[in-house]
Amino acid sequence: MEVVSLYRHAFSLPLHRSGCQELGLFSTSSSLLMNGFRSLQYSSSLHQQANLGNAAQHYCFSSIIRKCASVSWCYLTPNENLYNPWHNSLFSGKRNGRYIIVRAELTKMGTHEAGYPLSVVPLSSKVRGTFFYATTAITAIFLFMLMLVAHPFVLLMDRYRRRIHYSIAKMWASLTIAPFFRIKYEGLENLPSPNSPAVFVSNHQSFLDIYTLLTLGRSFKFISKTAIFLFPIIGWAMFMMGVIPLKRMDSRSQLDCLKRCMELIRKGASVFFFPEGTRSKDGKLGTFKKGAFSVAVKTKVPVVPITLVGTGSIMPAGFEGILNKGCVKVVIHKPLIGCDPEALCNEARNVIADALSEHVDS
């Protein structure tokens, strides 16, 4: 880890804020705090060293620490006053380790409780996480056998929607979730008829999103990474349910995926998209990709936006081994219809963003 420091006296060439930004040096007026992705950097504003009549002496201290593996950010204790004598040690080159906290890569889901240093994750959350996976594994084994027996009949009688398999999946998700957290539903009347195909879209915050959505009991086809299909039991069940495989960063696979979605819709099935493409690591709604909305426009089916609230604080992205206490809310919005994918995309995102903002504020 290499540090480059800049120290200038007040009578030297002044270093303004804009100049700091151009050089990659940033100043703040309060505590030294700067977050970065897999990098370490901290900075401070101009400090008043002494006031000698009309001539004030100022110092500007900034530093850039190059990328350091598996470390995401560093900050100085926010309650410390920067005018304390210890700050002189920064200029003298002496490091004061007790004021610097280095944390492993943490992510917050928009709530104070969502991000934990590994050393302070509550033991109860770790225990709950262990029991959660034990419950879902045991339940999956028994229900997978039921799915396996029913699979030949499903292929013969309901090849595209596979409603029996999704009923079993709903049972699996409900039994897994029941001992750990409750789900509240709002707007169930906005769900289209089970026999009417549609494109469902939702925000994505947690691994628990899939469990939550399966409890709706609708046979919509999810899109999943191809590697997940290799997992015993779960991957095999996904294959029998007709989940659509996708290779990320492969344009040909993405095109095949969209074609498969349109084919399934024309056959009467519904499809489900997470337009953000991945789970949010800070709780904020990401940019929506237009693929789902292009499928809806080309197949002339409605888009049903769904807002998921609370899954990110119960199991934050990057902390799949823990399970906090909490409650999840599922808000189903009215179906949207349009002929312009971009306009439809913006409308759906605004609906979900408004709902997220409303529930966070409340």
Side-chain angles (χ1 to χ4, degrees):
M1 186 167 58
E2 186 175 337
V3 181
V4 180
S5 299
L6 175 66
Y7 171 79
R8 293 200 176 201
H9 193 273
F11 299 105
S12 302
L13 182 64
L15 185 62
H16 300 290
R17 181 179 181 86
S18 60
C20 289
Q21 292 177 344
E22 292 176 359
L23 293 172
L25 306 176
F26 302 85
S27 64
T28 59
S29 60
S30 58
S31 303
L32 304 185
L33 172 59
M34 183 61 68
N35 295 339
F37 178 71
R38 292 184 180 176
S39 64
L40 203 63
Q41 58 181 3
Y42 61 92
S43 62
S44 68
S45 61
L46 297 174
H47 303 291
Q48 184 173 356
Q49 177 73 0
N51 189 351
L52 302 177
N54 296 328
Q57 294 182 350
H58 296 278
Y59 295 88
C60 178
F61 173 81
S62 300
S63 64
I64 300 174
I65 301 182
R66 296 180 181 175
K67 290 184 178 180
C68 180
S70 70
V71 177
S72 63
W73 48 277
C74 169
Y75 62 87
L76 297 181
T77 308
N79 293 330
E80 293 294 335
N81 192 318
L82 294 179
Y83 296 103
N84 284 346
W86 66 264
H87 86 276
N88 291 327
S89 63
L90 296 175
F91 298 102
S92 64
K94 298 179 181 179
R95 297 182 182 179
N96 195 331
R98 70 188 184 93
Y99 290 104
I100 299 178
I101 302 173
V102 179
R103 299 172 66 179
E105 186 175 348
L106 302 179
T107 54
K108 291 191 176 182
M109 301 309 298
T111 61
H112 175 70
E113 296 83 2
Y116 292 100
L118 294 179
S119 60
V120 297
V121 172
L123 179 61
S124 60
S125 295
K126 296 179 181 179
V127 173
R128 285 166 59 85
T130 301
F131 277 101
F132 174 83
Y133 286 109
T135 302
T136 196
I138 294 171
T139 308
I141 292 172
F142 288 101
L143 293 181
F144 173 75
M145 300 304 297
L146 183 59
M147 190 179 289
L148 192 60
V149 172
H151 192 59
F153 301 97
V154 169
L155 292 179
L156 289 173
M157 302 174 62
D158 190 15
R159 186 179 187 88
Y160 297 101
R161 280 184 280 186
R162 307 191 182 189
R163 286 168 290 186
I164 294 178
H165 286 344
Y166 276 88
S167 297
I168 296 173
K170 177 185 178 180
M171 191 185 309
W172 167 68
S174 299
L175 290 174
T176 299
I177 286 173
F180 302 101
F181 61 89
R182 295 180 300 109
I183 302 177
K184 296 180 180 179
Y185 302 94
E186 181 180 313
L188 288 172
E189 66 279 2
N190 294 325
L191 285 172
S193 167
N195 297 322
S196 301
V199 172
F200 293 81
V201 296
S202 169
N203 60 309
H204 198 12
Q205 293 187 342
S206 172
F207 177 66
L208 296 178
D209 293 345
I210 300 297
Y211 288 86
T212 302
L213 292 165
L214 284 173
T215 63
L216 291 174
R218 294 306 176 99
S219 56
F220 34 60
K221 309 299 181 184
F222 289 100
I223 297 171
S224 176
K225 294 185 296 185
T226 54
I228 306 298
F229 288 84
L230 301 177
F231 290 3
I233 307 298
I234 300 298
W236 304 338
M238 289 168 53
F239 176 78
M240 288 192 290
M241 290 168 62
V243 174
I244 304 168
L246 172 67
K247 292 181 181 179
R248 289 186 176 179
M249 310 306 293
D250 186 333
S251 57
R252 184 178 182 84
S253 177
Q254 293 173 4
L255 182 60
D256 291 341
C257 176
L258 295 179
K259 289 181 179 178
R260 177 62 177 164
C261 289
M262 289 188 283
E263 179 185 356
L264 287 169
I265 289 175
R266 293 188 178 108
K267 297 293 184 179
S270 296
V271 294
F272 198 102
F273 287 83
F274 292 110
E276 294 170 278
T278 187
R279 286 168 293 173
S280 170
K281 294 186 180 299
D282 58 5
K284 297 179 181 178
L285 191 63
T287 303
F288 277 17
K289 297 177 175 61
K290 292 189 295 183
F293 308 97
S294 297
V295 170
V297 169
K298 290 181 180 179
T299 54
K300 299 180 180 179
V301 296
V303 173
V304 182
I306 297 178
T307 303
L308 301 177
V309 183
T311 55
S313 60
I314 295 177
M315 184 180 286
F319 285 86
E320 283 72 24
I322 70 171
L323 192 74
N324 302 315
K325 293 182 179 180
C327 180
V328 172
K329 189 166 188 179
V330 180
V331 183
I332 300 101
H333 304 281
K334 293 182 179 180
L336 306 176
I337 299 176
C339 56
D340 182 2
E342 186 170 358
L344 203 56
C345 176
N346 293 333
E347 186 177 1
R349 188 186 184 282
N350 290 337
V351 167
I352 294 175
D354 291 343
L356 276 176
S357 176
E358 177 183 344
H359 287 89
V360 168
D361 293 342
S362 61

